[in-house]
Amino acid sequence: MKLSMWTYEGPPHVGAMRVATGMKGVHYVLHAPQGDTYADLLFTMIERRDRRPPVTYTTFQARDLGADTATLFKDACLAAYERFKPEALIVGASCTAELIQDDPGGLAEALGLPVPVVALELPSYTRKECFGTDETFYQLVRTLAKPCERTPEVSCNVLGPTGLGFRHRDDVTEIVGLLEGMGIAVNVVAPMGARPSDLARLGAAHFNVVLYPEHAEAAARWLEREHGQPWTKTIPIGAGAVRDFAREVGMLAGVEPRIDESRLREPWWSRSVDSTYLTGKRVFLFGDATHVKAMARVARDEMGFEVVGLGCYNREFARDVRALAKEYGVEALITDDHLEVEERIAALAPEMILGTQMERHVGKRLGIPCAVISAPVHVQDFPARYSPVMGVEGANVLFDTLVHPLVMGLEEHLLAMFREDPEFHDAAGPSHHGGSAPRPAEPDVPRNISGTSKGADVVVWLADAERELRKIPFFVRGKAKRNTEAFAAEKGLAEVSVDTLYEAKAHYAR
Amino acid sequence: MSGCTDMPVLRERGQHEVFCGLTGIVWLHRKMPDAFFLVVGSRTCAHLLQSAAGVMIFAEPRFATAILEEGDLAGMKDAQDELDAVVERLLARRPDIRRLFLVGSCPSEVIKLDLAKAAQRLSSHHAPHVEVLSYSGSGIETTFTQGEDACLAAMVPGLPATEAANLVLVGALPDVVEDQALSLLAAMGIEAQVLPARRTGAPLAVGPNTRYALLQPFLGDTASELDKRGAARIEAPFPFGEEGTTAWLRAVAEAHGVDDATFEAVTTAPRVRARKAVAAARDTLAGKRLTALPDSQLEIPLARFLARECGMVPVEIGTPYLHRAIMAPDLALLPECRLSEGQDVERQLDRVRDDRPDLTICGLGLANPLEREGLTTKWAIELVFTPVHFYEQAGDLAALFARPLWRKEKLDFADRMEAAE
């Protein structure tokens, strides 16, 4: 048993729902008890879909157990087929149905429906949502993709976008545009927007573009094996990666890697003098592996930040993320426990967090600015406006997204120069939090403020020193505090005075 | 007038588009600040709770899930030992907790994990600091608000006994509403206690002379547990709107021998206020046809309020579960309409499309899809979180239903203006 207050991923059948809901002409019959329909509202509310997800739940109850849950499943299957007339059916069990051991695949097959039936084995007690998307899409592709002739013109499939995906809608538009701009036809985009009949002709493409390995890597590997289609490994997030992506695609397609950069503003914005203050901002990244890997490069090489830590919640990609962390000279954090993430953030005291909605709340609590770069996200990150994170426009969107939470350069100077002014003094709180960030009480006695309550290395801050610390702008205060305490520990000091603070500052001056 | 008392009820089985009882935790833990709710379940249960709790989840809420893992199922580890370890860790982290509820889920019930036994064991281990109780919030046993019923029912057997002729109000209401109810009764000279009490150790006891009144319609099991302790239920319609609140107060007042003059003196002013507040929404609601899909068991008393005090015309009123005896006073007041119990969601939606009501009360999984079909909806979950009972909230309650219609009017008007240009 694992104590959990919040989870980064839902159960695997929610992943299957994301694939079914993204597609057209597919219906999912889910053997599940009353209540599992809660997942519908992720789609109707967070993603704001105007249709119910194409999912039928058997809704078995206590009185059905041991009696006729299998009949219930078959009846639900037949009724769903009759009503929705899907081109393909997927069937499976939620966590509770997995325990009662009806066999949805066998039961559905016995019905002899005139459409393909894909049975899903989704182990709910060992795997999670992203496994569910990847496995479901793989099984659909395996069942439905038929051998077919390559298209005469060079073409590719775009694989990975699903329902409830972070910015998937606009990423697809952006990347399809980029591919077409290079003279490459897009054969099928899947799962999002595809019908079973579209999956049947996946094999006609010359190669595959995999936008989200979390959701499409198994399918891409199968297509490579069975249909001889190579697939792209570069995730086109950030200006540099977009150029690399164009080169990789160009090589696979045998065309010139052309990108229309006339609207690519991110590199210049980042070079303009107002961005100078971004240099060396200490950032921590957390989210799904794909976005974290791509964003680490954006953060370091395109924004000029210093990456002080990174990690992901999906263990499937732990090895990749560990390798990346090594490259950045930091320790990878592979965990699905948000309390561990919070601890790491508190320990590193970064000036900015790039993460999921959970990290946004951690940031709010610790007074650290945060930009959201990965699912899970809440309703505000399914915006009405066009906001991809991939491709040329995606790079522009990212620049804005990463800069807005930070205090602008001018404001930073003002904070330093006029720190006692009514608008800028410490108790006013950071402006981007509407002045609502936690405000600690004024110190009047020496105390331990380092957050460690036990152990030998307790450092006591003298009241004067703590007051002086408060005068340091909040976004560098965490770092100053940490450095000072490290300096004091190194010198064997039990107390921090104003002098210690400034000696440490001189010691660590960069 | 017999209203719907003898109306046949359409009973349906099939896909239920409803929450399970675990959802009750989301408002129950707010009501009991010294309690923690530990669900023993799957990742799905944890995901449901965080989806239902929205941003509340980030405020260190007093609920969590002990997620079952492969080892717990395969019998490789003793699930009871695992649970003890989780509880140990939890209580060490939250020393402020005085009551711990072990909440059963579908998975824990299917594997027959005995939470009652665990609660007993843990209770004696952590006594006297923490009291450990258990109940089921599983989807196979409970629908949405029935989770509160199961929780309160689990508390009743442990309540101290008394011979006193006390009054217990049953059901978790927002503190502001609870205070209004208590002060109205106090003004009539009636002292009352509330189940659930805000804190453990509050002087709440039951016995053969206890009388109780339900504040919420979904408390059938709690009522029968109280009956078992010898307590007697005061029969009343539920306190929604001016009429409902007055009838509820009158039933309690009569049971306590309050004279008419006192009753009038206490209730006249708030009754006038409530009627006036409802009037603002009545203009919008009167004559509009209403369908309620099953969700919380609040549907019948709310439809009664909307029909009688706001002039709406009920078309179909669905409820997940109909407790005849408890609902009798409200059924008698509800104008004749189609009643349904349980759900086959596809067939029910077919009826909604045929009926084309002006307002449909439904869950969040259905609301946007129905709006897209041109229907106007009011999502139901809000009704269990928002203060809606008693006089002072009557206007807010009516406005909850009028607002979607106001909004539609405004946006449609803007559309028409644009078309005319």
Side-chain angles (χ1 to χ4, degrees), chain A residues 31 58-70 72 100 102, chain B residues 13 140:
Chain A
H31 206 13
T58 57
T59 313
F60 57 81
Q61 291 175 291
R63 59 173 179 240
D64 303 315
L65 290 177
D68 58 352
T69 51
L72 206 63
I100 61 176
D102 291 331
Chain B
R13 290 194 56 186
I140 57 179

Side-chain angles (χ1 to χ4, degrees), chain B residues 107-171:
Chain B
S108 78
E109 276 161 33
V110 168
I111 64 168
K112 303 207 183 326
L113 185 56
D114 192 343
L115 292 185
K117 196 177 96 183
Q120 241 171 26
R121 183 184 60 242
L122 287 162
S123 225
S124 59
H125 185 67
H126 293 282
H129 191 69
V130 184
E131 176 189 14
V132 186
L133 295 163
S134 77
Y135 72 90
S136 168
S138 74
I140 57 179
E141 297 280 1
T142 59
T143 306
F144 195 30
T145 48
Q146 278 181 300
E148 176 175 333
D149 191 21
C151 174
L152 301 192
M155 292 164 73
V156 174
L159 294 176
T162 179
E163 292 296 318
N166 60 344
L167 171 66
V168 180
L169 310 183
V170 190

Side-chain angles (χ1 to χ4, degrees), chain A residues 1-2 4 7 34-35 37-38 40 44 50 52 57 59 62-64 83 95-96 125-126 361 365, chain B residues 13 15-18 42 44 47-48 50 58 65 67 70 72 82 106 139-140 142-143 350 364 368 372:
Chain A
M1 266 177 223
K2 188 169 171 6
S4 165
T7 72
Q34 169 172 264
T37 51
Y38 82 87
D40 283 0
T44 59
D50 60 4
R52 293 168 59 211
Y57 304 79
T59 313
R63 59 173 179 240
D64 303 315
R83 181 174 284 267
C95 53
T96 306
Y125 297 90
T126 49
H361 285 271
R365 193 147 45 206
Chain B
R13 290 194 56 186
Q15 177 174 327
H16 287 26
E17 187 79 21
V18 290
S42 63
T44 311
H47 199 231
L48 159 89
Q50 82 185 42
F58 301 107
T65 309
I67 296 184
E70 192 92 283
D72 302 308
E82 288 282 301
C106 300
I140 57 179
T142 59
T143 306
D350 287 345
L364 287 172
N368 270 335
R372 177 57 89 182

Side-chain angles (χ1 to χ4, degrees), chain A residues 182-199:
Chain A
M182 286 173 66
I184 300 164
V186 172
N187 183 49
V188 174
V189 177
M192 196 154 78
R195 311 188 72 87
S197 51
D198 296 322
L199 297 191

Side-chain angles (χ1 to χ4, degrees), chain B residues 4-348:
Chain B
C4 276
T5 304
D6 300 316
M7 283 300 281
V9 176
L10 179 62
R11 287 196 175 77
E12 286 191 303
R13 290 194 56 186
Q15 177 174 327
H16 287 26
E17 187 79 21
V18 290
F19 283 127
C20 64
L22 294 182
T23 329
I25 292 170
V26 179
W27 66 86
L28 279 173
H29 90 286
R30 307 287 315 149
K31 189 66 197 171
M32 295 185 257
D34 61 350
F36 195 99
F37 293 79
L38 179 65
V39 176
V40 181
S42 63
R43 177 167 302 279
T44 311
C45 306
H47 199 231
L48 159 89
L49 277 181
Q50 82 185 42
S51 305
V55 292
M56 208 184 277
I57 206 89
F58 301 107
E60 185 101 16
R62 279 167 288 97
F63 57 85
T65 309
I67 296 184
L68 294 163
E69 293 171 314
E70 192 92 283
D72 302 308
L73 305 175
M76 295 179 333
K77 299 184 226 162
D78 186 329
Q80 299 278 1
D81 290 348
E82 288 282 301
L83 185 58
D84 289 3
V86 166
V87 168
E88 200 72 49
R89 201 142 35 100
L90 178 69
L91 293 179
R93 193 181 146 81
R94 301 296 298 268
D96 52 323
I97 299 306
R98 294 288 176 276
R99 285 184 276 187
L100 176 66
F101 290 94
L102 303 178
V103 188
S105 66
C106 300
S108 78
E109 276 161 33
V110 168
I111 64 168
K112 303 207 183 326
L113 185 56
D114 192 343
L115 292 185
K117 196 177 96 183
Q120 241 171 26
R121 183 184 60 242
L122 287 162
S123 225
S124 59
H125 185 67
H126 293 282
H129 191 69
V130 184
E131 176 189 14
V132 186
L133 295 163
S134 77
Y135 72 90
S136 168
S138 74
I140 57 179
E141 297 280 1
T142 59
T143 306
F144 195 30
T145 48
Q146 278 181 300
E148 176 175 333
D149 191 21
C151 174
L152 301 192
M155 292 164 73
V156 174
L159 294 176
T162 179
E163 292 296 318
N166 60 344
L167 171 66
V168 180
L169 310 183
V170 190
L173 293 191
D175 290 349
V176 51
V177 183
E178 191 180 297
D179 291 342
Q180 287 169 19
L182 292 174
S183 85
L184 282 165
L185 292 176
M188 292 186 246
I190 305 170
E191 202 183 313
Q193 295 151 323
V194 183
L195 176 70
R198 292 180 204 178
R199 293 204 173 268
T200 184
L204 178 60
V206 284
N209 300 314
T210 298
R211 271 176 296 200
Y212 68 94
L214 300 181
L215 295 165
Q216 298 278 28
F218 43 73
L219 297 170
D221 287 353
T222 310
S224 71
E225 285 296 328
L226 285 164
D227 293 344
K228 272 189 222 162
R229 298 283 305 262
R233 182 164 61 86
I234 298 171
E235 191 171 299
F238 289 94
F240 296 112
E242 182 270 317
E243 183 190 41
T245 304
T246 303
W248 186 92
L249 285 170
R250 192 177 291 283
V252 176
E254 271 170 13
H256 288 81
V258 174
D259 61 77
D260 279 356
T262 308
F263 187 82
E264 293 301 326
V266 170
T267 59
T268 301
R271 289 177 70 172
V272 172
R273 267 203 306 274
R275 273 200 299 271
K276 196 173 150 203
V278 170
R282 193 187 159 96
D283 293 342
T284 306
L285 295 173
K288 298 286 196 312
R289 296 162 67 250
L290 170 77
T291 285
L293 301 187
D295 202 60
S296 61
Q297 300 184 46
L298 294 171
E299 297 84 2
I300 288 172
L302 287 177
R304 182 262 298 156
F305 160 72
L306 289 168
R308 294 173 58 96
E309 298 184 48
C310 303
M312 291 192 85
V313 181
V315 177
E316 172 170 342
I317 304 303
T319 177
Y321 179 70
L322 178 56
H323 193 301
R324 277 276 173 192
I326 287 177
M327 211 58 93
D330 281 284
L331 279 175
L333 295 170
L334 181 67
E336 284 189 18
C337 62
R338 195 190 308 138
L339 291 180
S340 63
E341 181 182 7
Q343 190 175 37
D344 178 329
V345 72
E346 302 295 350
R347 288 164 61 181
Q348 190 163 36

Side-chain angles (χ1 to χ4, degrees), chain A residues 136-158:
Chain A
T136 304
F137 184 48
Y138 162 63
Q139 292 296 347
L140 279 165
V141 168
R142 218 174 67 115
T143 309
L144 299 169
K146 298 280 176 284
C148 46
E149 293 280 309
R150 290 278 196 264
T151 57
E153 77 283 11
V154 60
S155 67
C156 68
N157 301 312
V158 175

